[in-house]
Structures are given as C-alpha cells and as structure tokens.
Amino acid sequence: MKAILQRVSEARVDIDGTTIGQIGPGLLILVCAMQGDAEGNAEALATRIPKLRVFRDEAGRMNRSLLDTGGAALVVSQFTLAADTSRGNRPGFSAAAPPEIGEHLYRHFVETLTAQGVEVQTGRFGADMAVHLVNDGPVTIPIER
C-alpha cells in the first residue's frame, strides 16, 4: 500500500457540498491499495503511521507522533497514487488494486488505524470528493508497506 501523509491544522472532505469527514490538527492520509497487497500491508501501514514523529515538540523539532499529540486522521482513498507516468502523457493506473480489493483494504486500514487509538474520519471510497486542508509546515511524507 502507498500513502501520502500531510500534517494538517485542519482538513475536511466534502461530497456534493456536504461535509462527510472533518478533523482539526492531525494527519490527512491519502491511501492506495496496490496490485498484490493484502491485509498485512494495510495493517503494517496503519500500525506505523501513528508512531511517526512528524509533529513539533516544545523545541519546534519533529519529535512527536500522532499518538503523542492526540491528533486525528482523515483517511481518503486515492487510487491515483498508483499512477505510472513513465510513458506518454496519460498516466496509467493498472498498478492499483481492483476496486473491490482496494475498498476492502481501505476499510481494513481504517479499522487498524482506529484500533491504534487514533480518532479517524474518512472520505467515501470511489466517490468524487473535494478535499480541503491547511497543510501545517508544510509537511508531506510518502510512505509504503
């Protein structure tokens, strides 16, 4: 699985003008299941992310985790993280898991992240979403498992 973590002071997801997920300080997590991924990949990613020290401590250094800060996570499925841009001008997405597998792994990722003690809000798998965020830092980190 691939993910992009964005440290945010706030973020929300809207569908057709209605907010379906919203957080204050924490992480916006864009996540994509790849061909060949299984539940173990989702669990490994969801277990690692809350422990990453990407939040400022009292000295202003990135030394605190999501668990340390009590921040929340807004998890949004994003199959475009599987984009292959190596040829031509149109990205290919064949490296992404098929939708039914992708949705299962997305939900498993969310469940595992929640089980780590993180407050989790979500987008809607496969929906056309408007994602609003205030990137704090900015801090944007790619991660794979």
Side-chain angles (χ1 to χ4, degrees):
M1 290 188 81
K2 287 186 176 186
I4 299 291
L5 313 178
Q6 294 183 298
R7 188 176 75 189
V8 298
S9 54
E10 60 185 64
R12 76 175 195 274
V13 175
D14 296 342
I15 297 177
D16 296 327
T18 301
T19 299
I20 64 162
Q22 183 171 355
I23 63 168
L27 292 174
L28 170 64
I29 304 172
L30 306 173
V31 66
C32 176
M34 306 294 289
Q35 288 281 349
D37 281 345
E39 287 185 354
N41 299 92
E43 291 166 7
L45 195 62
T47 301
R48 180 154 167 78
I49 288 172
K51 299 173 189 169
L52 288 175
R53 298 184 311 171
V54 297
F55 294 90
R56 293 181 193 100
D57 64 12
E58 301 77 25
R61 300 175 117 161
M62 287 200 304
N63 205 24
R64 299 183 76 209
S65 71
L66 193 61
L67 294 174
D68 295 332
T69 64
L74 176 58
V75 182
V76 176
S77 63
Q78 183 147 10
F79 80 95
T80 60
L81 293 180
D84 177 3
T85 59
S86 63
R87 299 175 302 199
N89 295 318
R90 183 172 185 262
F93 302 103
S94 60
E100 61 279 357
I101 294 171
E103 183 172 12
H104 171 74
L105 293 177
Y106 169 74
R107 293 188 188 288
H108 191 67
F109 174 85
V110 168
E111 290 168 2
T112 305
L113 189 61
T114 302
Q116 302 300 305
V118 176
E119 176 194 335
V120 178
Q121 295 282 308
T122 65
R124 185 174 302 143
F125 186 89
D128 187 11
M129 298 172 273
V131 180
H132 306 267
L133 69 137
V134 177
N135 196 320
D136 178 23
V139 173
T140 302
I141 298 172
I143 185 171
E144 288 186 53
R145 285 287 177 206

